[in-house]
Amino acid sequence: MTSEYRIKQLSIFAPNTPGTLAEIAKIFLDNEVNISAFCIAEANNFGVVRAVVDKPDAVFAAFEKKNYLLKFTDVVAVKMSDVPGGLYDVASKFGAAGLNIEYAYASRSTTTPTLVVYVSNTNISLEAAVEKILASGLVLVRAAEMRI
Amino acid sequence: MFWNEKMETLRGKELQELQLKRLKETVARTQNIGFYQKMFAEAGIRPEDIKTLDDLSKIPFTKKADLRGGYPFGFLAVPMSRINRIHTTSGTTGKPTVVAYTKNDLNSWSELIARNLTMVGLREGDMFQNASNYSLFTGGLGFHYGAERIGCAVVPAGVGNTKRQIEMIQDFGVNAIHCTPSYAMHLTEVAEDMHANLDSLRIGVFGAEAWSENMRRDLENRLNIKAYDSYGMSELFGPGVAFECPEQDGLHIWHDCYIVEIIDPKTGEVLPAGEKGEMVVTPLVKEAMPLLRYRTGDITMLMEDDCPCGRGQKIARLFGRSDDMLTVRGINVFPSQIEHVLKNIPEVGDQFMVYIDRVNHLDEMTIDVEINKHLFSGELSDLARLQNKIGKALHETLTLRANVQLVEPGSLPRFEGKAKRVVDRRTI
C-alpha cells in the first residue's frame, strides 16, 4: 500500500512580520499538536510555513477558523543514515529514479533522521513516486509513524 | 466629413439660442419629477426664473446619490407607457442606477453615435465589430444602433471569446472595432500570439474607462489603426456624449445636446476654460430622464483652442474620477486603474490597499493584495510568480513601478459605502 506513505504537510501562508510565527506556534500549542518536521520558506515580504504534525486534520480546521490561508501538500519522508553520505544516498537515488526534489527539509523526530521531500514531477503521481523510491532501496516513513 | 454639419458646427448666438430653448424645455420636463419639484421649492426658484443660460447657475447640482435615492423609477418625467428601453449603471455601491429612454431618446442617442463614428471616418459599407457588453451596459446597444444608423454592417460580437473575435475581424474583413481599451490590449496580445492578419482594421473606438496616451500609441502601432477616445455615461444616454475627432487632441462634446460646466469639486465654483475640475453636465434633449447640472464625478477641463475640424469647444481627455485621483512621481493614478488590473488576475482576491510614501524624496507606491483563497496552492514558487505577475501588470497600466505585497484573504479592511483604498502617508 503506497498510500500509507502519503504525508500531509501543512503549508501555511505567513506574512513576514514580527510575531507571525509566534501566532502560528500558539495555534499548535493550543491544539496540543506536536511538530515532527518544520521549515519556513521565505520570499519577498511573505513566507510559507511548512510543517508535518501529529494531528494534521484537527489543526488544519483550527487554522482555518482563525482565517489563515493554508493547504495540505502531499510529501514523503525518507529515512537517512546518520553517517556522512546519508543525504547523498537519498538524493542520488531520487535522481536515478528521475524524481525531482522541489524542496526538502530534515527532521529527527523519529528514531532515525528523515528527509521530508516534496516531489514536483508533474507527470508522476505520488503513488508512482513512492513505488520508485521503495524500489530504489530507500526506506520511507509511514504517515502513522510521523504521529508519534 | 460630418453627419449633421449644422448641429456639429453650431456656435455663437445661434448655439446659445438653441441651448436656452432646450434648457427651458428640459427645466419644464423636470417639473414632472418629485425630486426636482422639491429642489426648486427649497432653492426658492421657479421654472420661469430660468430666462438666460446664466440663470442655470441658480439651480443646485444633481448628484449620483440623488439618482440612487430615486431607485428604480423616481426620476422618470414621462409615464411608463412612453418608455421604450431601460438600462442600468454598474452599481458598484449598493443599488444600480436605472436609466430609461423614450423613442425620441433612443433616436437622439443613435444620432450622436452616428456623428461620432462619421467624425472618425466610418462610412456606409464599413464593417463595425462591437466587442462590447450587450446587456444592461449602454456600450453595447448604444453603439450598435448608432453604427447601423450610418449604414455600417454591424457585427454584434459582445465581450469575450477573444480568439473568435480575432477570427471574425480577419475572416469578415472588419474595418472598425469598439471595446474598452483594456480589452483592446488583450485582443492585441492574443492576435499577435495567433499571428492573425488584421489588415482590414482601420479604426478603434475605445471608451468606458480612462486610458493613457501610452496605451493609445501602443494600440495604434500594434494594430496599425487610429484609436479614438469615446466618452459617455448612462445618465447622459450612454456612450457618445463626447468623442475625439481625427485631430486626437481632446473630445468634442455635443453642445446642442449638453451644457458643460467645469467646477471645483470642493467648492462648487464654476471654473474657466483651461482649468481642471469636475465636469457638470445638463443634458438638453433627454425626455424620459431629464437632469439638471449633473455632477459626473469625472475630471477634465474645457479646452481653449479652436479645433481645425470646425466643430465646437472640446473637453480634455478624462483624467479620472474627482474623488480619487493620486499623483505619484508626477503620474496620475486612479485606484480604479489599479483595481482594473487586479480584477483581471484570477489569483487575486477581493480587496486591495494602496499606500503612498515618500522615501528619499521619491514617491513609493505599495499595494497590498489579498490572495484568492481558492487558488492558493501552498507553494512558494506560485506565490512569487503571482507577485511578479501583478507587479508587471500594474507597471503596464500605470507606467509606474509598485511594490506588491501579498496578504491573506480577509486581512485587509472592508468598507461599507464608499471604499477608502488609498492611504497617502507622504509628508512634504
Side-chain angles (χ1 to χ4, degrees):
Chain A
M1 280 297 287
T2 54
S3 64
E4 61 191 317
Y5 299 108
R6 176 196 299 265
I7 291 169
K8 286 161 114 177
Q9 170 196 273
L10 294 167
S11 303
I12 308 163
F13 180 82
N16 196 356
T17 48
T20 301
L21 184 59
E23 255 177 52
I24 291 173
K26 185 75 168 35
I27 295 172
F28 285 123
L29 165 66
D30 292 344
N31 290 275
E32 292 178 37
V33 169
N34 194 32
I35 301 165
S36 8
F38 175 86
C39 85
I40 299 173
E42 47 66 61
N44 183 15
N45 305 316
F46 61 87
V48 173
V49 170
R50 297 168 180 150
V52 176
V53 300
D54 57 353
K55 292 186 283 185
D57 294 306
V59 80
F60 190 96
F63 274 105
E64 276 213 312
K65 204 175 277 176
K66 298 230 170 202
N67 285 320
Y68 273 84
L69 186 58
L70 77 167
K71 191 107 178 169
F72 279 131
T73 308
D74 287 334
V75 293
V76 291
V78 195
K79 288 195 177 170
M80 283 190 295
S81 317
D82 198 0
V83 293
L87 177 62
Y88 171 72
D89 183 43
V90 171
S92 58
K93 281 175 176 157
F94 267 70
L99 297 173
N100 187 43
I101 300 173
E102 176 79 18
Y103 58 79
Y105 48 103
S107 157
R108 288 201 73 115
S109 72
T110 54
T111 45
T112 54
T114 53
L115 190 69
V116 176
V117 179
Y118 174 68
V119 179
S120 66
N121 303 54
T122 46
N123 55 343
I124 299 175
S125 69
L126 189 82
E127 284 70 23
V130 165
E131 272 170 26
K132 280 176 190 278
I133 296 162
L134 293 174
S136 75
L138 289 168
V139 180
L140 284 170
V141 184
R142 290 182 174 80
E145 291 174 73
M146 294 298 282
R147 296 179 187 178
I148 300 159
Chain B
M1 176 89 174
F2 296 93
W3 175 256
N4 182 346
E5 185 165 0
K6 182 163 185 345
M7 284 301 152
E8 291 177 47
T9 57
L10 203 63
R11 56 182 66 215
K13 194 159 167 271
E14 241 185 315
L15 174 62
Q16 286 169 8
E17 278 170 5
L18 180 68
Q19 282 185 330
L20 180 61
K21 174 177 164 279
R22 289 181 168 176
L23 175 63
K24 286 177 176 172
E25 290 165 0
T26 298
V27 168
R29 277 196 291 270
T30 61
Q31 297 308 302
N32 297 328
I33 301 166
F35 172 84
Y36 281 112
Q37 290 167 357
K38 199 164 155 247
M39 175 197 272
F40 273 57
E42 281 172 5
I45 46 174
R46 292 164 306 157
E48 310 84 87
D49 294 337
I50 309 303
K51 295 193 183 76
T52 67
L53 287 176
D54 289 340
D55 291 335
L56 183 63
S57 62
K58 294 177 181 165
I59 303 172
F61 299 116
T62 304
K63 295 191 274 305
K64 197 173 183 68
D66 298 327
L67 294 191
R68 235 181 269 135
Y71 179 87
F73 298 126
F75 273 81
L76 292 197
V78 299
M80 193 52 81
S81 57
R82 287 196 56 209
I83 297 299
N84 226 195
R85 196 192 300 158
I86 286 164
H87 283 283
T88 74
T89 66
S90 46
T92 42
T93 46
K95 287 226 161 62
T97 302
V98 176
V99 292
Y101 306 75
T102 64
K103 193 158 278 195
N104 286 336
D105 285 336
L106 292 174
N107 182 53
S108 304
W109 185 17
S110 292
E111 282 291 309
L112 291 185
I113 301 264
R115 287 186 197 178
N116 296 323
L117 294 179
T118 304
M119 176 163 70
V120 298
L122 268 139
R123 300 288 177 269
E124 189 175 358
D126 280 333
M127 196 179 285
F128 178 82
Q129 185 157 323
N130 194 18
S132 182
N133 185 326
Y134 264 75
S135 67
L136 292 160
F137 175 61
T138 49
L141 290 174
F143 268 99
H144 183 96
Y145 287 111
E148 280 191 356
R149 172 101 15 140
I150 62 175
C152 287
V154 181
V155 183
V159 286
N161 205 346
T162 309
K163 282 194 175 149
R164 181 79 193 108
Q165 300 256 12
I166 290 160
E167 283 164 11
M168 286 194 290
I169 297 172
Q170 193 170 242
D171 299 346
F172 298 175
V174 169
N175 308 111
I177 187 163
H178 165 240
C179 58
T180 61
S182 51
Y183 189 65
M185 194 51 93
H186 177 63
L187 201 102
T188 305
E189 282 161 4
V190 176
E192 285 167 357
D193 282 348
M194 290 167 67
H195 303 290
N197 174 0
L198 305 184
D199 283 353
S200 61
L201 211 55
R202 309 192 314 261
I203 295 165
V205 171
F206 306 125
E209 56 195 23
W211 50 300
S212 65
E213 283 298 323
N214 275 344
M215 196 154 171
R216 187 211 304 269
R217 237 167 285 140
D218 203 22
L219 286 169
E220 289 195 333
N221 291 337
R222 290 164 72 178
L223 288 173
N224 195 22
I225 57 167
K226 286 289 236 176
Y228 296 101
D229 196 1
S230 153
Y231 172 78
M233 60 172 21
S234 305
E235 297 92 316
L236 307 175
F237 280 153
V241 176
F243 221 84
E244 281 184 325
C245 69
E247 299 293 322
Q248 292 180 314
D249 178 25
L251 288 80
H252 289 286
I253 187 156
W254 302 113
H255 297 282
D256 60 319
C257 297
Y258 301 98
I259 294 177
V260 185
E261 299 167 277
I262 304 293
I263 64 161
D264 178 329
K266 290 200 179 82
T267 63
E269 179 202 351
V270 177
L271 302 174
E275 275 188 47
K276 209 191 275 184
E278 180 179 348
M279 181 162 63
V280 171
V281 178
T282 302
L284 297 174
V285 295
K286 288 186 77 196
E287 285 186 347
M289 250 183 84
L291 293 170
L292 297 171
R293 303 190 87 198
Y294 185 65
R295 286 187 69 154
T296 62
D298 290 316
I299 297 289
T300 181
M301 63 183 179
L302 279 162
M303 293 174 70
E304 288 166 287
D305 299 335
D306 271 355
C307 187
C309 85
R311 293 177 183 85
Q313 191 176 26
K314 290 184 286 196
I315 56 170
R317 295 190 73 198
L318 273 285
F319 299 99
R321 305 277 309 164
S322 62
D323 30 17
D324 53 18
M325 190 179 83
L326 289 164
T327 307
V328 182
R329 274 179 246 162
I331 297 172
N332 292 343
V333 177
F334 288 93
S336 56
Q337 290 175 287
I338 297 169
E339 175 158 359
H340 192 80
V341 170
L342 297 177
K343 287 265 184 241
N344 280 335
I345 303 174
E347 297 94 326
V348 167
D350 294 332
Q351 300 288 335
F352 70 93
M353 283 294 291
V354 180
Y355 301 95
I356 318 286
D357 294 289
R358 187 154 290 161
V359 182
N360 298 329
H361 308 289
L362 256 187
D363 296 335
E364 292 283 348
M365 181 163 63
T366 304
I367 303 180
D368 282 3
V369 178
E370 283 188 7
I371 305 168
N372 179 346
K373 197 178 164 136
H374 306 291
L375 291 174
F376 174 62
S377 68
E379 292 316 314
L380 193 72
S381 51
D382 291 337
L383 292 171
R385 214 171 292 135
L386 173 61
Q387 203 173 19
N388 273 331
K389 182 174 164 183
I390 296 169
K392 239 178 105 183
L394 286 168
H395 186 246
E396 271 170 25
T397 302
L398 307 178
T399 63
L400 201 63
R401 230 166 266 290
N403 174 25
V404 177
Q405 305 214 29
L406 300 179
V407 301
E408 295 153 287
S411 62
L412 293 179
R414 262 66 181 163
F415 301 96
E416 292 177 11
K418 196 146 179 59
K420 287 199 166 45
R421 293 216 166 80
V422 178
V423 180
D424 196 337
R425 299 187 287 208
R426 284 175 290 193
T427 47
I428 300 151

